[in-house]
Amino acid sequence: MDMPVNRLKRALAAGETQIGLWSSLCSPIVAEALAYSGYDWLLIDSEHAPNELPNVMAMMQAMAPGTASPVVRPAWNDAVLLKRLLDAGAQSFLIPMVQSAEEAAQAVAATRYPPQGVRGVALSHRGNRYGRVADYLAKANREICLIVQIESRGAVDSAAEIAAVEGVDGLFIGPSDLAADLGHLGNPGHAEVQAAFSEVLAACKSAGKAAGILSAVEDQAKGYIDAGFNFVAVGSDLGLLTRHADALRACFK
């Protein structure tokens, strides 16, 4: 049986714009429905959503026939969490709150088998089709897509060094946390915050790495894409549900 190919990793390496959606509802049914909507990727969140490993795996299974590649955000940059997600079949990750090149290198190591990393070895799991992928141990490392989140002033200052880490495929701005760290809580549109966004984008372009960001405002998201961000989340399942539910109810008031 062949090694599962990471379509997202290849598209980002080719400089293609990949449009995604955040998933916070922790539902395999929602994930399956969204996977047919034509998005390039779907973020399965377990940092700010009550999502645990069995459910994350069920969501990835549900997404398998669709267009969207699953990207998993673990609760933290933790080798144990990442090991379990890898065995569950995750190939693409968004690592929260990476502050330095050293922390980025730790994430890379956690997602690679020795000698490139420290991933623990199991011989039969969903990631290797339950032992059926020939030479999985030799091939797995090259299919990992690792995006790290830039969410503080310190991380912005270290963006060039983080982007230069081998094995990091891109940097993703966490707009809300970065705005908060810069003293503009709830206001990612502030000029100082937007300038920080530009610093990260420049670091990504210089290193030839993907640049990511999240915005649920259509014009803003399109502006980011025009500026050169190519890994862009344009909304969330929770936001779509609440906005449309509220709008529908308003029609009958």
Side-chain angles (χ1 to χ4, degrees):
M1 187 171 286
D2 292 335
M3 178 74 194
V5 172
N6 193 326
R7 296 172 299 171
L8 178 64
K9 184 181 180 75
R10 283 160 174 70
L12 291 176
E16 299 173 13
T17 299
Q18 299 291 285
I19 303 300
L21 197 71
W22 225 252
S23 183
S24 301
L25 290 175
C26 309
S27 168
I29 295 174
V30 171
E32 182 180 29
L34 293 175
Y36 291 109
S37 292
Y39 290 97
D40 300 302
W41 57 278
L42 183 67
L43 190 285
I44 301 174
D45 194 9
S46 64
E47 182 194 14
H48 287 297
N51 225 351
E52 300 300 337
L53 178 63
N55 197 61
V56 170
M57 187 168 79
M59 292 176 71
M60 290 191 291
Q61 289 171 323
M63 289 173 60
T67 64
S69 296
V71 179
V72 180
R73 180 164 72 168
W76 195 245
N77 184 10
D78 181 277
V80 174
L81 295 177
L82 287 165
K83 173 175 61 179
R84 301 185 74 204
L85 290 167
L86 286 158
D87 287 351
Q91 290 183 307
S92 299
F93 299 91
L94 183 64
I95 309 298
M97 199 59 76
V98 171
Q99 305 273 32
S100 66
E102 180 182 7
E103 291 183 4
Q106 289 170 356
V108 172
T111 56
R112 269 71 172 184
Y113 286 123
Q116 290 82 17
V118 297
R119 178 184 173 185
V121 178
L123 298 181
S124 181
H125 49 75
R126 182 173 181 265
N128 67 7
R129 304 290 203 244
Y130 304 100
R132 296 184 178 93
V133 176
D135 298 323
Y136 175 83
L137 296 176
K139 298 174 181 177
N141 288 359
R142 70 180 184 223
E143 298 300 333
I144 299 301
C145 182
L146 188 71
I147 312 290
V148 299
Q149 281 197 254
I150 305 299
E151 302 182 86
S152 69
R153 177 73 254 180
V156 172
D157 292 340
S158 299
E161 290 82 6
I162 294 171
V165 173
E166 185 177 357
V168 169
D169 294 281
L171 276 55
F172 188 93
I173 292 170
S176 297
D177 280 301
L178 181 51
D181 192 65
L182 292 172
H184 305 290
L185 180 64
N187 186 16
H190 190 280
E192 183 183 3
V193 182
Q194 291 291 312
F197 292 178
S198 297
E199 289 183 54
V200 176
L201 177 59
C204 291
K205 288 183 175 180
S206 180
K209 301 292 179 72
I213 198 165
L214 162 67
S215 177
V217 179
E218 181 179 343
D219 290 343
Q220 191 177 67
K222 288 180 177 177
Y224 290 142
I225 293 169
D226 290 341
F229 286 93
N230 64 326
F231 180 68
V232 182
V234 296
S236 71
D237 54 3
L238 182 57
L240 291 171
L241 175 64
T242 56
R243 281 198 304 275
H244 286 279
D246 291 354
L248 180 60
R249 180 64 185 90
C251 294
F252 297 93
K253 285 187 178 178

